[in-house]
């Protein structure tokens, strides 16, 4: 593995992520050197390390190299969805509570 940091966004709102280039040989003897389709490593630099690669047998250039070696973790997307739903519920409660309060005032 080799890796580099990729920066994106504007100077005020800048984010970074580690982009890995991985080289492996398939069970059919084909050498592949590419970037994983999806990465769950965040900012972990795994340069020079050996990692487990899961690839499509017919299209080996489409692969993942999960941090845990078993599969891409769904924890982060599930947490984002959960926080988004929680945010919507809280906003709904605030809006509904505001309507109830305004409904009880004599001039509304």
């Amino acid at each position: 593995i080799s890796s580099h940091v990729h920066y994106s966004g504007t100077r005020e709102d800048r984010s970074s992520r580690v982009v890995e280039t991985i080289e492996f040989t398939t069970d059919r003897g084909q050498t592949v050197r590419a970037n994983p389709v999806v990465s769950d490593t965040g900012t972990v630099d795994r340069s020079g390390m050996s990692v487990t690669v899961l690839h499509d047998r017919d299209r080996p250039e489409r692969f993942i190299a999960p941090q845990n070696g078993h599969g891409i973790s769904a924890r982060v997307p599930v947490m984002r969805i959960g926080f988004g739903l929680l945010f919507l519920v809280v906003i709904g409660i605030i809006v509904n509570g505001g309507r109830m309060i305004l409904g009880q005032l004599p001039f509304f």
Side-chain angles (χ1 to χ4, degrees), residues 3-74:
S3 62
H4 68 276
V5 178
H6 174 76
Y7 296 98
S8 60
T10 64
R11 181 172 262 187
E12 294 81 26
D13 185 29
R14 192 170 177 169
S15 64
S16 63
R17 64 184 172 92
V18 174
V19 177
E20 298 177 319
T21 301
I22 299 174
E23 183 175 294
F24 64 96
T25 304
T26 67
D27 58 347
R28 296 177 180 173
Q30 179 183 359
T31 299
V32 176
R33 182 178 178 89
N35 305 90
V37 175
V38 177
S39 178
D40 68 346
T41 59
T43 58
V44 176
D45 184 0
R46 304 189 296 178
S47 295
M49 296 174 64
S50 295
V51 298
T52 300
V53 174
L54 307 172
H55 64 87
D56 180 342
R57 195 165 194 189
D58 296 325
R59 294 174 49 196
E61 68 280 356
R62 295 191 44 82
F63 68 91
I64 61 173
Q67 190 170 5
N68 66 8
H70 301 292
I72 297 293
S73 171

